[in-house]
Amino acid sequence: MTCPAVKDDILIINVTILPRADRREGMEKNSFVRIQGNLISETGPMSALPPGIHCEKIIDGRNRLLMPGLVNVHTHAAMTLFRGLADDLPLMTWLHEHIFPAEAQHVSPEMVYWCSRLAAQEMIRAGITCAADGYFHEDEAARAFCETGLRGVMAQGIVDFPAPGVADPGENVRHAGRFIDGWQTVNELITPALFCHSPYVCSAKTLVAAKEVAREKKALFFIHVAETRDEVQQSLLEHGVSPVRYLADLGILDCDTVCVHCVWLDDHDREILAASGASVALCTASNMKLASGVAQVRKMLDLRIPVGLGTDGCASNNTLDLFQEMNLTAKLHKVHALDPTVLPARTLLDIATRGGARVLGMEESLGTVQPGKKADLILLDLDQPHLTPLYSEDLLVYGARGADVETVIINGQVVMEGRRFQLIDQQEAIHRVREMAARLRGAI
């Protein structure tokens, strides 16, 4: 699978640029950004634009805000098929009585391809330029991401029971290793990884073996950790320690491990994560919908634990919109702490961009608008009543939404312009998934 050819040169003019969250200067109005190949080559005020530049494409950014693309550090793209299938249920009931049975019957290579392609379109339309996905038949998800132009960290799912594409659980780790080998040098949009679902569906033997493969192949290792209070109680009963301590004792935690959710951690758990270098993927909307609890994000940040923001899958969210995630995360933590100063908007913007890139090991190439970084950029239409007036970037967290994204550039390629996809037929996946949903509904 080869990615679409990267256009040689793009110039964005008259645009307002979002400043980095760690800097105090305001938004850079009336600016330009030049893209050469897949990299940002130059930025600055329009007054400093060199005369006589010849570009293949010029984008007028008047009344537009340019910012780094959002980084979704955790999702299950193919689960768009299960959006709204089993709402308003506790996690374990939702998983074992609805999702796992539906997956056993309806997950196929075709389903993963089309449902992942639908998810990729939804994410691009919401300004997500890079997403970490974990599921089965991950070859098909990677193909779907590449064809839509979305950058992906694609993690092959591992569980200790027969799974789609891996009928023999004894082959789960070897199958995932082969997936990594198959995608490590195929194209620069796709980074392969491993995803062990959780300590409660993967044995110690499986967890250790999977982490060994990830280390050998220099790949990220994702795992759901301490999502619910019941999960922690189960770990205490079976292992005598918390899920985080259990993973630490197995040697799973390091700077290439991404722990998803981390809602039910105590201070010792957070200290273990901080010392290990492991990262955390927050999934606020999913945790709220499943009533899992509230992750203590401020305490994690204070310990310098790398934190990124994820949507989780559509079955437990039900959307793939990181603007919504930023909004919910900021407000939930304020009301939970009874403190309006907790998790300010600029912290959330940083978590959703540079923070997410750091979690995925891509901070050197993604997450900010700087020369030398990959041209993964989005343009928001500021000619909107709900974005007027725009005093500061805080409004992006409290007032913006994915539908405000007008243009998306990934790896130097314009993949959406004027909310129209440039590489694919945007209706095809919608039609295919509707057909699959009709068959699923009939089976139920």
Side-chain angles (χ1 to χ4, degrees):
M1 171 62 62
T2 58
C3 292
V6 176
K7 291 186 178 179
D8 186 40
D9 207 354
I10 299 173
L11 179 64
I12 305 170
I13 59 174
N14 304 318
V15 75
T16 297
I17 302 176
L18 181 75
R20 285 174 52 170
D22 59 342
R23 296 183 178 178
R24 293 187 176 181
E25 67 264 25
M27 289 181 285
E28 302 170 28
K29 298 182 178 180
N30 200 31
S31 298
F32 75 91
V33 174
R34 186 177 179 185
I35 298 168
Q36 292 181 294
N38 65 351
L39 299 176
I40 300 169
S41 63
E42 191 177 1
T43 69
M46 287 296 294
S47 59
L49 179 64
I53 290 181
H54 174 73
C55 297
E56 290 192 15
K57 185 175 184 63
I58 297 178
I59 298 174
D60 190 347
R62 201 178 311 272
N63 295 323
R64 302 294 182 267
L65 176 75
L66 183 142
M67 62 181 287
L70 303 180
V71 179
N72 184 355
V73 296
H74 183 68
T75 192
H76 310 293
M79 294 185 80
T80 49
L81 181 62
F82 308 131
R83 190 197 317 259
L85 177 66
D87 290 336
D88 305 325
L89 294 170
L91 174 64
M92 292 304 173
T93 303
W94 176 78
L95 270 179
H96 292 282
E97 296 183 18
H98 297 272
I99 298 303
F100 286 161
E103 287 178 330
Q105 295 181 43
H106 298 279
V107 174
S108 66
E110 178 191 26
M111 172 267 187
V112 172
Y113 171 76
W114 286 110
C115 294
S116 296
R117 185 160 150 175
L118 181 69
Q121 292 176 217
E122 182 177 352
M123 286 189 277
I124 289 170
R125 286 173 68 85
I128 293 168
T129 56
C130 178
D133 183 59
Y135 208 60
F136 310 108
H137 292 303
E138 197 64 10
D139 281 302
E140 297 301 318
R143 183 165 70 93
F145 274 37
C146 192
E147 289 180 5
T148 55
L150 181 63
R151 190 182 302 278
V153 177
M154 317 304 293
Q156 172 63 35
I158 297 173
V159 293
D160 275 341
F161 52 80
V166 190
D168 179 3
E171 291 294 314
N172 54 10
V173 175
R174 281 187 288 273
H175 180 83
R178 290 192 294 270
F179 166 77
I180 292 177
D181 290 339
W183 281 94
Q184 273 190 323
T185 59
V186 172
N187 65 72
E188 58 185 320
L189 279 183
I190 304 299
T191 302
L194 298 182
F195 165 52
C196 280
H197 182 277
S198 61
Y200 55 84
V201 298
C202 292
S203 67
K205 179 181 177 182
T206 296
L207 293 170
V208 170
K211 185 59 181 177
E212 287 177 354
V213 169
R215 285 194 175 110
E216 174 191 341
K217 300 180 185 299
K218 296 180 173 57
L220 289 179
F221 177 98
F222 294 81
I223 186 166
H224 294 142
V225 181
E227 183 176 0
T228 67
R229 181 164 46 190
D230 289 346
E231 178 190 337
V232 175
Q233 292 302 315
Q234 179 182 340
S235 181
L236 292 171
L237 287 172
E238 293 183 4
H239 310 297
V241 293
S242 71
V244 168
R245 179 61 182 270
Y246 175 64
L247 294 177
D249 290 345
L250 291 176
I252 304 299
L253 302 180
D254 60 26
C255 61
D256 292 321
T257 298
V258 181
C259 298
V260 182
H261 298 301
C262 291
V263 174
W264 291 91
L265 306 185
D266 60 22
D267 289 342
H268 185 49
D269 290 330
R270 283 183 284 269
E271 290 168 1
I272 290 173
L273 287 178
S276 72
S279 301
V280 171
L282 304 173
C283 299
T284 302
S286 176
N287 295 156
M288 291 175 68
K289 186 183 175 193
L290 293 168
S292 298
V294 181
Q296 298 297 310
V297 183
R298 185 69 264 167
K299 291 183 178 180
M300 296 180 197
L301 294 175
D302 289 344
L303 289 171
R304 299 187 181 277
I305 296 171
V307 174
L309 203 57
T311 59
D312 213 341
C314 278
S316 63
N317 187 313
N318 298 40
T319 68
L320 303 174
D321 186 341
L322 274 188
F323 282 100
Q324 172 183 274
E325 292 291 330
M326 285 191 283
N327 187 307
L328 289 174
T329 303
K331 292 175 180 176
L332 173 65
H333 285 81
K334 294 175 192 304
V335 72
H336 184 70
L338 297 180
D339 181 355
T341 69
V342 169
L343 287 189
R346 294 174 202 196
T347 298
L348 265 299
L349 281 168
D350 194 52
I351 288 174
T353 52
R354 191 175 58 151
R358 182 185 179 194
V359 167
L360 300 183
M362 298 178 174
E363 188 178 8
E364 294 301 313
S365 58
L366 302 178
T368 55
V369 183
Q370 291 177 262
K373 288 206 170 185
K374 295 287 178 67
D376 285 19
L377 305 168
I378 61 176
L379 286 162
L380 278 71
D381 179 5
L382 299 182
D383 279 335
Q384 305 286 338
H386 63 279
L387 294 180
T388 305
L390 181 66
Y391 293 117
S392 75
E393 58 266 39
D394 294 356
L395 186 59
L396 299 178
V397 172
Y398 299 125
R401 45 186 181 250
D404 297 322
V405 177
E406 182 180 71
T407 298
V408 176
I409 301 169
I410 302 176
N411 207 42
Q413 176 83 8
V414 178
V415 299
M416 185 180 80
E417 187 170 17
R419 294 196 62 78
R420 301 294 300 178
F421 284 93
Q422 304 299 297
L423 308 179
I424 58 169
D425 177 350
Q426 64 183 14
Q427 291 300 314
E428 189 175 8
I430 293 173
H431 295 324
R432 294 293 188 110
V433 175
R434 280 176 178 163
E435 291 173 354
M436 293 177 188
R439 293 196 294 270
L440 173 58
R441 189 181 301 113
I444 295 172

